Amino acid sequence: DQQVKQNSPSLSVQEGRISILNCDYTNSMFDYFLWYKKYPAEGPTFLISISSIKDKNEDGRFTVFLNKSAKHLSLHIVPSQPGDSAVYFCAASAPGNEKLTFGTGTRLTIIP
Amino acid sequence: DTGVSQDPRHKITKRGQNVTFRCDPISEHNRLYWYRQTLGQGPEFLTYFQNEAQLEKSRLLSDRFSAERPKGSFSTLEIQRTEQGDSAMYLCASSKFGTVQETQYFGPGTRLLVL
């Protein structure tokens, strides 16, 4: 049972344009959502998070949007840079349940 | 602060051998997590500690797997009688219990190959 889904395995975006990565979840108990970035042979690096009491969180070039009614979140990167090329994972946790549940990841390629 | 460290970074072993991995969390973090990641998948939760107490174990953690955090600092993950299906990246993460938005920070991982 895949509780967190990233339906796009890959995405290519021109340098300087906006990258939009999507994530859907099924567990309505999830209240904290995170995005991680992963380079090959390295561990995931925390990017940005959002609590369920918010619908938007922004940090520099990265913005995460949460639509609780649709059980959907998205990560916007603008402008996209070549160093953004990596695999991006969406993760979620529920209150009192400290483990993170991850999606299967989206490979983002920024085209110079 | 040097972040979460893991040792070794790579391990090749033969089926049936025992292996042990070590994780050193960020110094002020009292929670420590182990995850496993296989090709094409996201990390999957294995177990976690708060200080030295192991508070949750996943069904993925068979009897051949054991984790310890004896003094509430570093942790070890041991796999006994390794099988080819154990080949994966083993990730450690740590967090600080009690922060408003508790974020887990990951180490570089240990890549295990069982021949």
Side-chain angles (χ1 to χ4, degrees):
Chain A
D1 177 26
Q2 193 74 23
Q3 297 187 65
V4 177
K5 300 177 185 178
Q6 294 178 257
N7 292 319
S8 298
S10 62
L11 176 69
S12 294
V13 174
Q14 206 82 30
E15 181 179 358
R17 298 288 187 106
I18 183 171
S19 296
I20 300 176
L21 296 96
N22 294 304
C23 178
D24 296 292
Y25 62 96
T26 57
N27 187 343
S28 57
M29 297 300 293
F30 287 149
D31 71 339
Y32 187 48
F33 304 89
L34 308 91
W35 284 95
Y36 288 86
K37 172 181 178 181
K38 189 177 185 301
Y39 293 118
E42 294 185 12
T45 301
F46 170 71
L47 271 179
I48 192 168
S49 62
I50 188 166
S51 164
S52 59
I53 61 173
K54 295 184 175 181
D55 54 19
K56 177 183 174 181
N57 189 27
E58 192 172 352
D59 183 2
R61 297 187 298 116
F62 303 92
T63 303
V64 56
F65 295 91
L66 175 62
N67 182 334
K68 288 186 289 294
S69 61
K71 294 190 178 69
H72 177 83
L73 64 156
S74 60
L75 174 68
H76 293 210
I77 306 173
V78 56
S80 300
Q81 299 174 353
D84 296 330
S85 294
V87 178
Y88 289 77
F89 289 98
C90 168
S93 67
N97 190 346
E98 286 67 23
K99 70 179 184 183
L100 292 177
T101 301
F102 283 83
T104 52
T106 296
R107 179 177 300 279
L108 175 66
T109 302
I110 306 301
I111 305 165
Chain B
D1 186 353
T2 55
V4 179
S5 62
Q6 292 186 246
D7 184 70
R9 294 291 305 275
H10 304 274
K11 180 71 177 179
I12 300 174
T13 190
K14 292 183 179 178
R15 189 176 53 188
Q17 298 293 304
N18 299 344
V19 294
T20 300
F21 309 142
R22 176 179 170 127
C23 171
D24 287 88
I26 293 171
S27 57
E28 68 269 25
H29 286 186
N30 46 14
R31 283 186 169 170
L32 186 148
Y33 307 79
W34 287 98
Y35 291 82
R36 180 173 70 185
Q37 185 178 17
T38 53
L39 203 60
Q41 301 297 316
E44 294 176 291
F45 170 79
L46 292 178
T47 188
Y48 95 95
F49 294 83
Q50 182 164 313
N51 300 312
E52 65 275 8
Q54 188 173 18
L55 297 187
E56 187 177 349
K57 291 196 292 186
S58 161
R59 290 170 297 170
L60 293 175
L61 215 64
S62 76
D63 292 345
R64 298 184 297 106
F65 287 70
S66 63
E68 294 183 344
R69 195 183 182 198
K71 296 183 180 179
S73 56
F74 72 92
S75 174
T76 57
L77 178 68
E78 181 183 16
I79 310 174
Q80 296 182 326
R81 305 180 303 282
T82 52
E83 301 172 356
Q84 288 183 325
D86 297 330
S87 296
M89 171 79 90
Y90 289 84
L91 294 163
C92 176
S94 69
S95 67
K96 188 172 183 180
F97 172 63
T99 50
V100 174
Q101 288 184 336
E102 191 175 328
T103 298
Q104 295 180 27
Y105 295 89
F106 284 81
T110 295
R111 184 168 294 282
L112 172 66
L113 178 61
V114 182
L115 301 176

